[in-house]
Amino acid sequence: MGYMSLVFVNVVLPILILMAIGALFQRRFHFQLTPISKLLTSCFMPAAVFLNIYEAQFDMQLLAQLVFYLLLFTGSTMALGQLLAKVLKLKRGEGAALKNSISLMNSGNYGLPVSQLIFSANPLGVSVQIIVLVFQNLLTYTYGLYNLLSATKSIVDIGKSLVKLPIVHALLAGIVFQAFAWPIPGFVLVPLEQLANGFVALALFLLGAQLAGIRLRSFHRAIAWSLLGRLVAGPAFALLFIFTLGIEGVVAQSLFIASSFPTSRNTATLALEHEVEPELHAQIVLYSTLLSCVTATAVIHLASVLF
């Protein structure tokens, strides 16, 4: 079985099945999605983010090597999103969807399985992906949230909203607990793990439920540009900075492959939570996930040839 089949069967297909279940149940029972979204972003998501950061094992030398690359790569995708939003003269909510879709990658339930599949014999490749994942979490709940909230709120209101968000508290707590290596009692850790384990399934179920009411025959122009920015320009930027910084071997492979992942599903979850173009966000996640089974496969093959 080739790369394309492996990636599709082991990563993309399970994601699509969970989304399909959400769509089917939504059509059958007509759930109120806003309360589910609030439950996800206020309970399940903070638990997952906290444990993700708390349990990550960082190699400080590797981390130092990657920080500059990640700043360059992220800065370039953010700049591209800002430029396209201005050139296309999109509304604020549509611009937020475009900018987030290019900068925020699905490094969790898509990226980690892909890396574990490819680098099963070399843990360094997976370690690189974990660092990218943590960085993407930080970016999602800072820059990503700012883009969403700025579509409907002033800077002062944005600051107040960010301070109140459970996900921000979880991020800060995870960083502090990780930095000081504070142990977590078992009676606290077990429910946190159970909530975190349920996060991916509930997030994909919710995304499928969102898509159930969307008329996919309406193809917003921002979707095409977001797909080009995330799945084409992203790997191109990565290749440029990898060669410029002289990164080689497994680290270069892992970074290049990580740049090809589709738009983060969290963009759709957060958009629904804050009621900022939720349908557009959900469509972008769906299309980028489907198309990535082709583009990511091409990048994986190219990475094996170049590095």
Side-chain angles (χ1 to χ4, degrees):
M1 187 179 290
Y3 269 136
M4 185 170 184
S5 299
L6 284 171
V7 171
F8 182 80
V9 171
N10 291 287
V11 179
V12 178
L13 186 57
I15 291 173
L16 295 179
I17 289 174
L18 282 169
M19 290 168 58
I21 291 172
L24 289 172
F25 272 72
Q26 176 63 14
R27 287 186 179 274
R28 175 66 178 84
F29 297 107
H30 305 287
F31 298 114
Q32 293 295 321
L33 297 185
T34 300
I36 300 175
S37 176
K38 289 184 181 297
L39 175 65
L40 187 71
T41 55
S42 299
C43 185
F44 285 82
M45 189 182 292
V49 170
F50 173 81
L51 285 182
N52 181 40
I53 295 176
Y54 176 72
E55 295 177 347
Q57 299 298 318
F58 295 108
D59 181 324
M60 297 310 295
Q61 185 176 359
L62 176 62
L63 182 61
Q65 182 185 26
L66 296 179
V67 164
F68 190 46
Y69 163 85
L70 289 172
L71 290 174
L72 287 174
F73 174 76
T74 301
S76 65
T77 57
M78 290 166 60
L80 177 62
Q82 295 281 354
L83 177 62
L84 287 175
K86 287 185 178 180
V87 171
L88 296 173
K89 297 180 180 178
L90 298 175
K91 298 176 182 177
R92 284 193 173 186
E94 296 169 345
L98 178 62
K99 289 182 281 188
N100 281 351
S101 68
I102 294 175
S103 300
L104 305 179
M105 306 179 295
N106 192 345
S107 300
N109 66 301
Y110 191 106
L112 275 181
V114 168
S115 295
Q116 289 167 345
L117 175 66
I118 297 168
F119 300 108
S120 57
N122 196 328
L124 178 59
V126 179
S127 297
V128 170
Q129 178 56 38
I130 290 174
I131 293 173
V132 174
L133 171 59
V134 172
F135 189 88
Q136 279 287 312
N137 275 332
L138 291 169
L139 188 68
T140 297
Y141 303 113
T142 51
Y143 174 76
L145 270 176
Y146 172 79
N147 281 333
L148 288 175
L149 297 179
S150 65
T152 57
K153 298 184 179 182
S154 67
I155 294 179
V156 175
D157 290 334
I158 290 171
K160 291 179 180 178
S161 297
L162 288 174
V163 170
K164 295 177 182 178
L165 287 173
I167 194 67
V168 174
H169 303 161
L171 270 173
L172 295 176
I175 292 171
V176 171
F177 273 70
Q178 221 278 348
F180 291 97
W182 289 344
I184 299 177
F187 64 86
V188 175
L189 185 61
V190 170
L192 280 175
E193 289 175 340
Q194 291 174 340
L195 287 171
N197 290 337
F199 167 63
V200 170
L202 184 58
L204 292 173
F205 181 95
L206 178 61
L207 178 57
Q210 284 179 256
L211 293 170
I214 293 176
R215 297 179 180 179
L216 294 180
R217 63 176 179 268
S218 59
F219 192 86
H220 195 286
R221 57 179 177 148
I223 297 175
W225 288 104
S226 72
L227 295 176
L228 286 172
R230 174 82 301 279
L231 301 177
V232 179
F237 283 136
L239 205 57
L240 171 64
F241 296 130
I242 286 170
F243 283 135
T244 301
L245 299 176
I247 303 174
E248 300 177 344
V250 173
V251 175
Q253 283 186 340
S254 186
L255 289 175
F256 186 38
I257 292 170
S259 71
S260 69
F261 298 148
T263 298
S264 171
R265 73 193 183 291
N266 290 337
T267 59
T269 302
L270 293 173
L272 179 61
E273 165 72 13
H274 298 286
E275 299 180 350
V276 180
E277 299 289 345
E279 290 194 1
L280 178 58
H281 281 84
Q283 287 188 68
I284 289 173
V285 172
L286 174 63
Y287 284 122
S288 67
T289 300
L290 291 174
L291 188 57
S292 69
C293 68
V294 176
T295 57
T297 300
V299 169
I300 290 168
H301 174 70
L302 187 58
S304 66
V305 172
L306 295 176
F307 309 107

